Structure formats: C-alpha cells, structure tokens
Amino acid sequence: MASTKEWFETVAEAQRRAKKRLPRSVYMALVAGSERGVTMNDNVRAFDELGFRPHIADLPAERNQATTVMGQEISMPVLISPTGVQAVHPEGEVAVARAAAAAGTAMGLSSFASKPVEEVAAANPKLFFQTYWVGGRDAILQRAERARAAGAKGLIITLDWTFATRRDWGSPYIPEKLDLKALLKFAPEGITRPKYLLDWVRSGKLPDLTTPNLAGPGEEAPTFFGAYYQWMTTPLPTWEDIRWLREQWGGPFAVKGIMHPDDARRAVDIGATAISVSNHGGNNLDGTPASIRALPAIADAVGDQVEILLDGGIRRGSDVVKALALGARAVMIGRAYLWGMAANGEAGVSNVLQILRSGIDEALLGLGRSSIHELVPDDIIVPENFTRAVKR
C-alpha cells in the first residue's frame, strides 16, 4: 500500500518523517556514528553489494518466518535491539515493547533505558535485558537479578563500544538534566517541532534523561552522564569476568559486539547461548567493516555451536533474508524502529516491523523458499572481496 498520513511504506520514509518531527539534536543523536561514520555508512551500503539468485516457478504458496532465539519462540526473525535513553517519544521503551509483543517477537532492553525493566517486561514477556560491564560484580549481578525478577528471559552483555564523542559532523549537545537552563537552550529547536513538543506536553512530563535500571536498591536513578561516568571508570572486563556473569545468570546468555572469529570462539568457550555480530551501529571503532561483511567468517567458525544474530544496517526485509542466508538465525534492529516511533509512536514501530515482515515474505517467495530455515549461502551472490574480514 502507498504511504498515507498514518502509514509509511518504507523505513526510509520513517526516517524522513522522524527528521521532520524531531528536534535537530534528538534526530542527530539517532543518526550519528563515530568519527567519519565510515562503519555506520558501510553497515547499510554493504547490503547493496549482495544479490539474489531467484527462481520463477514451483514457488511456495506459503512462507514460514517463525524461529526461536535464546529459548523464545518468535513469529519473525527480527528482534528489537537494546538502545539507550529514548527521548523520541514519551512512552519510550514501553511502546516499543507493546509493538514487538503484538508482532510476536522479542525485545532487548538497554540497562541505559529510560523506562524501568518492570514496566517493559509487563508489556512484553519475551524480554532480554542488556547490560554493560558497569560497576563491580555485585552491582552487575544485582541488576541482572532485578531483571530476572521482572521476568527477563535472557541476558545480553554488550562489549562493542569504546566511548568516543568525536564525530566529524559534531556530536549533539546532551544536557546533564532538563533544568531551566537546558530548556531555554533547546527552546528554539522545540518551537520549530511543535508536534514533538505537543506529545510531551500531553504526557505531562519532560524527556527523562535518567537511567532507572542502573539504580541500586534505595538509590536514585543516575543521570545519563552519571551512568556513563560510572561505566567509563569501571575496569574493563576479561573473558573470565564474562564467564562468571554467564554462570551467575544461569540462563540464556548473549554476547553482543562480535566482529572477529577469535572472539566468537571465546564466546562459545565461556558458554554463551548466542552472539550478536555487531559494531554498535557504527558507534565503536570507525573503519570496522559492516556487520554483514564479518558474518560469513564468524558463521564458518562457530555457526554450528551457537545462535548467531546480526545487528547493523537492516532497512528492508530483503536485508534480513541476506543475513539469514549467510548464517544468522535472526537480526536485531535499532535505528529503524526508533525512526518508526519518532514518526508515529507505537503504531510507527508496528509499521516498521510489518514492512520488514512483508519484505522477508517477498524475498522468500522470489527465492522459492517456504521457510527461512531453508535459506542457504547459495541463495546470495557475494562479490569477490566482499567480507574484508579476518578469515581464520
């Protein structure tokens, strides 16, 4: 169907609407990548280099997209990737959780989220809680146990971010808190985006820049920058630290940020249930290849030992199919659903998921596959030197 006031036909249209609706600083926080943005841009462009080998007759009348990830049955191979403080809409992660639940899929919730894990888990029981290595072991375990008590079915440890604010186009200003000084600074942006401002006025609150899931018992939720300071001053984890956390958790456990086959093997060695091939959406070490370029070598190394997820650059259902054919069990999306939420709230997130579901179905039909589980690398035309990644 063609785009209407309440429906957008593509993720690209969702992005255009998000840019039109959001204040510039908020929008730039969604699209910015490290330094020159080489990795961020490659995440998307790399999919364009991959082709299909379609069939034209004896095509399946029905196509199945259902799969399981970390013990959870999902209706489509697309999960919500955990993203930090969401100032794009007042309902934030709760709206995202409802949309994902309605689509029959799972959600990753960031420990830096703007909504408490209890509220989000109530909206979608297929919840995976994400954490960084922030604070001492006791604090990290306390957060994990809080998430478990709320109903989280799995734990994700994110290791793929070296903190850097350097961006060639400039990092957007993020205040410590929205006090009078900050409100006055942002007033010109808000006035030019009245629909965004009206959403918050109707909600009766201001964008929340605190991180409630990092608060210990009886503690106040730290601010966004307070949480980052704690993270930046925490000693870096070792693989033995990650093994310890996996053993303490005792349930489905994913390591996010794998871009090298050696790290994939180490994740398998410490007992991970799943790994996410990810470069943090281009917000880690700029010049790292696109996630999809790293996927084939990692799938060759550990594909029969661990569930592999692909995170980065997904904009179409055909992108999902390419990732699955090259070895992923499912993909995770970040910017795509945030643009959807900015464009039209919960309905916008649902819209994005439906776009991807339809695109997956169309690609399966063209390839003559009745299920995502029938996809194989031979369905994809991979150009020479596409991977640009370590192969050992």
Side-chain angles (χ1 to χ4, degrees):
M1 60 184 294
S3 294
T4 66
K5 183 179 179 181
E6 298 298 326
W7 173 269
F8 40 85
E9 196 173 23
T10 66
V11 172
E13 177 62 21
Q15 182 180 359
R16 285 191 289 270
R17 295 187 186 192
K19 184 176 183 179
K20 187 176 180 180
R21 189 182 187 97
L22 295 176
R24 184 179 185 279
S25 294
V26 179
Y27 178 74
M28 288 302 296
L30 296 186
V31 299
S34 295
E35 297 189 333
R36 284 182 24 181
V38 171
T39 298
M40 178 184 67
N41 292 326
D42 194 41
N43 272 345
V44 176
R45 292 171 183 167
F47 281 100
D48 295 339
E49 298 176 25
L50 298 170
F52 287 118
R53 289 189 173 94
H55 292 284
I56 60 170
D58 293 328
L59 303 180
E62 297 181 356
R63 281 78 58 192
N64 179 23
Q65 298 187 29
T67 190
T68 61
V69 172
M70 293 175 65
Q72 298 301 301
E73 296 182 358
I74 54 178
S75 70
M76 61 186 295
V78 178
L79 294 82
I80 298 297
S81 189
T83 59
V85 177
Q86 293 180 7
V88 301
H89 191 276
E91 292 189 297
E93 295 87 356
V94 175
V96 178
R98 288 197 299 260
T105 195
M107 173 171 179
L109 177 70
S110 174
S111 54
F112 280 40
S114 60
K115 301 294 184 183
V117 62
E118 293 81 6
E119 291 183 21
V120 182
N124 188 343
K126 295 181 180 181
L127 185 76
F128 305 136
F129 183 72
Q130 176 273 346
T131 185
Y132 295 98
W133 192 262
V134 177
R137 284 189 172 191
D138 289 346
I140 293 167
L141 187 57
Q142 180 273 322
R143 287 192 292 272
E145 291 301 333
R146 175 185 169 185
R148 191 201 306 274
K153 303 301 191 298
L155 188 67
I156 301 171
I157 177 75
T158 298
L159 302 177
D160 65 337
W161 201 356
T162 54
F163 185 80
T165 60
R166 298 175 303 279
R167 291 171 170 84
D168 284 14
W169 47 84
S171 298
Y173 168 72
I174 302 175
E176 177 73 16
K177 58 183 178 178
L178 285 177
D179 54 15
L180 180 59
K181 181 180 178 181
L183 289 173
L184 290 173
K185 181 179 180 65
F186 281 103
E189 290 190 32
I191 291 171
T192 61
R193 296 293 187 270
K195 291 182 179 179
Y196 173 83
L197 192 61
L198 185 59
D199 283 340
W200 288 98
V201 169
R202 287 171 173 167
S203 74
K205 52 192 175 184
L206 294 171
D208 192 350
L209 301 181
T210 61
T211 54
N213 294 311
L214 288 176
E219 295 178 353
E220 233 180 82
T223 64
F224 182 78
F225 282 109
Y228 270 82
Y229 177 78
Q230 185 182 8
W231 169 53
M232 292 169 64
T233 55
T234 299
L236 297 172
T238 65
W239 278 110
E240 282 307 308
D241 288 325
I242 306 305
R243 183 193 297 275
W244 168 85
L245 182 58
R246 196 276 303 164
E247 291 173 348
Q248 294 297 313
W249 174 255
F253 185 88
V255 177
K256 185 175 183 292
I258 303 292
M259 286 294 292
H260 196 298
D262 286 352
D263 286 337
R265 295 185 185 99
R266 296 301 298 271
V268 169
D269 289 344
I270 62 99
T273 311
I275 59 174
S276 175
V277 179
S278 169
N279 51 45
H280 216 104
N283 279 289
N284 190 15
L285 183 61
D286 200 27
T288 301
S291 301
I292 191 68
R293 296 191 196 278
L295 176 62
I298 291 171
D300 286 345
V302 299
D304 59 347
Q305 303 171 67
V306 70
E307 297 176 12
I308 299 177
L309 307 176
L310 185 285
D311 189 325
I314 299 294
R315 301 291 184 267
R316 299 172 178 80
S318 58
D319 296 339
V320 179
V321 170
K322 290 172 182 176
L324 269 55
L326 294 181
R329 177 181 289 250
V331 305
M332 304 183 82
I333 60 169
R335 289 184 176 94
Y337 80 79
L338 290 172
W339 291 329
M341 182 162 61
N344 197 22
E346 179 183 338
V349 180
S350 296
N351 194 156
V352 165
L353 290 170
Q354 183 55 49
I355 289 168
L356 296 178
R357 188 192 298 275
S358 297
I360 294 168
D361 185 69
E362 291 159 4
L364 288 176
L365 177 61
L367 292 171
R369 301 298 187 187
S370 62
S371 167
I372 58 172
H373 301 289
E374 295 177 359
L375 292 166
V376 295
D378 195 52
D379 289 322
I380 308 299
I381 301 170
V382 181
E384 189 176 358
N385 298 324
F386 172 78
T387 58
R388 304 180 195 171
V390 176
K391 294 184 178 180
R392 59 184 176 87

